[in-house]
Amino acid sequence: MAHRTGHPPLLGDDKVPLDANVAPDDLAQQKPDQDPVEEEYSVERVEKVYRLTPTTRKLDLRIIPAFWVLYFLCSAIRSNIGIAQTMNKEAHHDLVSVLGLTAKDTSTALALFYVSYVLFDLPSNLIMSRLSPRVWMARIVFAVGVIGACFTAVQSAWSVKLLRFLLGVVIAGMWPGMAYYLTLFYPPSRTGKRIGMYFTASQVSAAVVGLVSAGFQQMDGLGGLVGFRWMFLIYGILGVILGVVLLWWLPDRPLAPGEARVRSPWMKWLPASPEALSGEDALVHYQDLKRVYHARPWNFTDLWYVLIDWRLWPLVLMYFGVVGVGIGTQLYGTVIISSINPTYTGVQVSLLFAPIWMMDFCAILLVTPISDRFHHHRALFFSAAVCIQIAGLLTVTFALNNSWARYGGLLLIGFGLGPTVPICMTWTNEIFQRRHREVGVAAASALVSGLGNLGSITTTYALYTGWPEDAAKGPYQFRNSNFTMIAILCLSIASSIVMTVLLKIFGNQPSQKIAGGGNLPLDSADEFQDGAARREVQQRGFRRMWWNKQS
């Protein structure tokens, strides 16, 4: 049973409490200028909203599958240029041969994507926090599909470089935007598992792009198009279709029970937003995540406080290392496999590329749910996974007389990569939502993702085929690049340790520069924290799991 406390939350001077005797299912009939009485719900009842009941599945199924599909397609469109470098290579119908690209052209084109991504990640996420998150996410996917389809018509190096730059512009904000979007519906300590759930789309995409490319290679010459052009065209069209469908599927930020959704004039031509929760579940969610419902409008002073917060920079360096290795493996994995055994055909390379991302997929599903339950130890889970990547890179580098052992090293890299990015983004959400509220999540997630992707520029432009010292064929090819990736992974581990130590010393209390603002009265640091934040002082651990539940 819910226990009612003695005072209602206030939305403003013109807000009054709802009738305490109103049934939950009648909340939608209340006037928008009323607010429900504050209630303290039991942990078991709150758990039902997030995890246990069919209503929970309604919330997860509304958001996670949509994010999975959009991330799958956008990842495929972003990375299929890597597999295009080896498609139909025997017939000289690969991307490099058809367009006459040099190694420097290829690495420059790959790096330009991340240049524009870094530049536009933060502006995109800040716009998303001001406008409709649903519409902005649909816009990103639609534009990615359009640019992806345009790759079908590339004829020279300059057109590849231009389109890669434009692809970075339109896709910027997608990854941090999804992380920000989750914090509108889930407490930060529960986002790691869900980020991991849709992050698996990137791994499945990398595997499927490799496997499906074998089919596209069989289409080589059909309709006068080489295989990689068919791949660009079909993925692009699917992205455009999905961008339109998302307008009907994704919900916008939740409203307090009893409030009506007001649509601005420019939004009236778009489909109405579906509501994520209803009835008593909506009321429980409201009491648990009041910070979302009573978000303080941010200004540039608030943004400045986020930018100068020292907590941001260790997270950026953590992300720098793991995303650099991840993108390097994704874009050059087929090149590395070919160097391990030059006798492999293009189809064989594509088939061997897929298991790397299956290992990544398995690691995400295994580690991210546990990291949520022990969310005070994010750094430990992160560092252990990075150590596995380092072990894989050392195996690829030194097991020169055993090609299968070197391939096993690539599998280790894939397994270690899996949990690192979701854990880094989740830790960012936890730290900055508590300290800077909504602008903290929007800005910090974008900066960690954007600036961290400088690691991607390093691995795509300065390493592997773009590094003259690693161009010589032979068993030692790419050794210097592997050593560089090991070095930036060591930087990631060191940064996670520094972050842990500094948080122990200085803490992570809500910033007093913004804690006094907003619509909700904040008389104490405890009142600033809603029900979810108060519960998260303690870890869930393995309590209330299926094997120790009472019948």
Side-chain angles (χ1 to χ4, degrees):
M1 295 293 293
H3 171 69
R4 298 182 186 276
T5 58
H7 64 279
L10 300 177
L11 292 175
D13 293 339
D14 59 337
K15 303 296 182 183
V16 296
L18 288 177
D19 186 344
N21 297 317
V22 174
D25 288 338
D26 294 334
L27 286 170
Q29 303 301 320
Q30 297 296 318
K31 296 180 180 180
D33 63 346
Q34 294 178 310
D35 193 34
V37 174
E38 182 175 356
E39 303 195 17
E40 188 69 28
Y41 290 94
S42 67
V43 174
E44 288 73 17
R45 180 64 186 90
V46 175
E47 286 276 330
K48 290 180 179 179
V49 172
Y50 294 116
R51 187 168 61 91
L52 298 176
T53 66
T55 306
T56 301
R57 290 195 292 271
K58 176 183 177 183
L59 182 61
D60 276 350
L61 289 176
R62 174 62 64 173
I63 298 172
I64 304 304
F67 274 16
W68 196 96
V69 174
L70 75 86
Y71 197 48
F72 175 93
L73 276 177
C74 289
S75 295
I77 293 169
R78 179 190 66 191
S79 64
N80 57 19
I81 189 174
I83 200 73
Q85 296 177 62
T86 58
M87 291 177 62
N88 299 112
K89 193 170 185 177
E90 299 84 358
H92 300 290
H93 286 176
D94 57 290
L95 180 71
V96 174
S97 299
V98 171
L99 302 186
L101 303 179
T102 65
K104 197 58 125 180
D105 287 332
T106 303
S107 60
T108 301
L110 295 176
L112 280 172
F113 168 87
Y114 296 102
V115 171
S116 56
Y117 187 92
V118 169
L119 292 175
F120 292 95
D121 222 18
L122 177 59
S124 177
N125 228 34
L126 293 177
I127 292 172
M128 182 177 180
S129 70
R130 288 282 195 180
L131 302 180
S132 162
R134 168 187 67 121
V135 174
W136 195 250
M137 191 61 66
R139 191 282 305 166
I140 290 174
V141 179
F142 181 88
V144 168
V146 171
I147 299 297
C150 288
F151 272 91
T152 308
V154 291
Q155 298 293 337
S156 61
W158 74 264
S159 59
V160 175
K161 295 173 185 176
L162 174 62
L163 286 177
R164 285 293 293 181
F165 183 85
L166 293 177
L167 185 62
V169 172
V170 298
I171 205 174
M174 180 195 68
W175 172 244
M178 289 192 291
Y180 161 76
Y181 185 98
L182 280 190
T183 63
L184 302 179
F185 297 94
Y186 300 96
S189 70
R190 293 179 181 270
T191 59
K193 173 184 175 181
R194 289 167 174 89
I195 290 175
M197 288 168 67
Y198 64 72
F199 187 60
T200 59
S202 178
Q203 285 63 49
V204 175
S205 173
V208 169
V209 165
L211 292 172
V212 174
S213 71
F216 284 121
Q217 289 180 74
Q218 300 303 314
M219 298 173 63
D220 188 51
L222 182 64
L225 298 179
V226 295
F228 72 80
R229 295 191 190 277
W230 278 112
M231 180 176 65
F232 291 146
L233 178 63
I234 292 175
Y235 280 126
I237 292 173
L238 290 175
V240 170
I241 294 172
L242 178 63
V244 175
V245 171
L246 288 176
L247 290 172
W248 275 268
W249 186 258
L250 285 178
D252 252 320
R253 65 164 58 244
L255 295 176
E259 284 192 300
R261 195 175 296 280
V262 179
R263 303 176 68 188
S264 60
W266 72 275
M267 292 272 289
K268 288 184 177 179
W269 61 276
L270 297 174
S273 169
E275 299 303 329
L277 293 170
S278 60
E280 187 181 32
D281 288 305
L283 182 58
V284 174
H285 189 264
Y286 168 78
Q287 299 295 351
D288 205 49
L289 280 181
K290 286 183 182 175
R291 73 193 108 173
V292 171
Y293 293 88
H294 301 283
R296 175 184 182 270
W298 59 268
N299 54 40
F300 285 103
T301 302
D302 299 326
L303 179 60
W304 172 249
Y305 291 138
V306 176
L307 296 178
I308 63 174
D309 194 324
W310 61 264
R311 295 161 183 82
L312 180 66
W313 305 107
L315 291 165
V316 169
L317 294 176
M318 288 168 57
Y319 199 88
F320 176 93
V322 296
V323 79
V325 173
I327 296 301
T329 305
Q330 189 174 48
L331 293 177
Y332 290 116
T334 55
V335 176
I336 296 171
I337 293 172
S338 296
S339 72
I340 290 174
N341 191 335
T343 64
Y344 289 147
T345 66
V347 172
Q348 287 175 321
V349 169
S350 296
L351 295 176
L352 288 171
F353 186 62
I356 299 173
W357 306 106
M358 291 297 98
M359 294 293 290
D360 198 314
F361 178 91
C362 292
I364 292 171
L365 297 183
L366 285 172
V367 177
T368 54
I370 302 175
S371 72
D372 269 359
R373 290 188 166 273
F374 295 91
H375 62 274
H376 292 172
H377 303 290
R378 301 282 189 196
L380 179 61
F381 288 101
F382 177 88
S383 298
V386 174
C387 287
I388 294 174
Q389 294 177 58
I390 293 174
L393 282 165
L394 290 172
T395 304
V396 172
T397 304
F398 291 107
L400 299 178
N401 297 322
N402 190 328
S403 60
W404 285 111
R406 298 182 71 188
Y407 178 70
L410 288 175
L411 297 181
L412 278 178
I413 295 171
F415 188 87
L417 280 170
T420 51
V421 171
I423 288 173
C424 190
M425 294 302 292
T426 304
W427 206 10
T428 302
N429 287 349
E430 287 179 327
I431 292 171
F432 280 87
Q433 187 173 75
R434 173 172 172 77
R435 184 155 180 82
H436 295 284
R437 303 176 73 173
E438 188 166 314
V439 65
V441 176
S445 60
L447 287 168
V448 168
S449 171
L451 295 177
N453 264 292
L454 292 172
S456 303
I457 297 176
T458 300
T459 55
T460 55
Y461 185 73
L463 303 182
Y464 294 103
T465 58
W467 196 356
E469 285 77 3
D470 273 2
K473 302 292 184 182
Y476 299 104
Q477 188 177 16
F478 306 138
R479 172 168 287 194
N480 292 333
S481 295
N482 292 342
F483 285 156
T484 302
M485 294 223 288
I486 291 171
I488 64 176
L489 287 176
C490 290
L491 175 65
S492 291
I493 294 177
S495 299
S496 70
I497 295 172
V498 169
M499 185 68 159
T500 303
V501 172
L502 291 179
L503 287 176
K504 289 287 186 184
I505 296 173
F506 297 105
N508 189 50
Q509 294 305 312
S511 174
Q512 296 303 309
K513 295 181 175 66
I514 68 167
N519 298 321
L520 201 62
L522 304 170
D523 299 327
S524 68
D526 181 67
E527 288 188 33
F528 174 82
Q529 302 301 316
D530 51 28
R534 287 193 295 270
R535 282 198 324 278
E536 289 169 354
V537 173
Q538 295 183 342
Q539 298 178 129
R540 284 181 291 154
F542 290 126
R543 296 189 302 273
R544 294 187 297 277
M545 295 294 286
W546 61 270
W547 60 77
N548 58 20
K549 284 186 178 296
Q550 295 181 355
S551 58

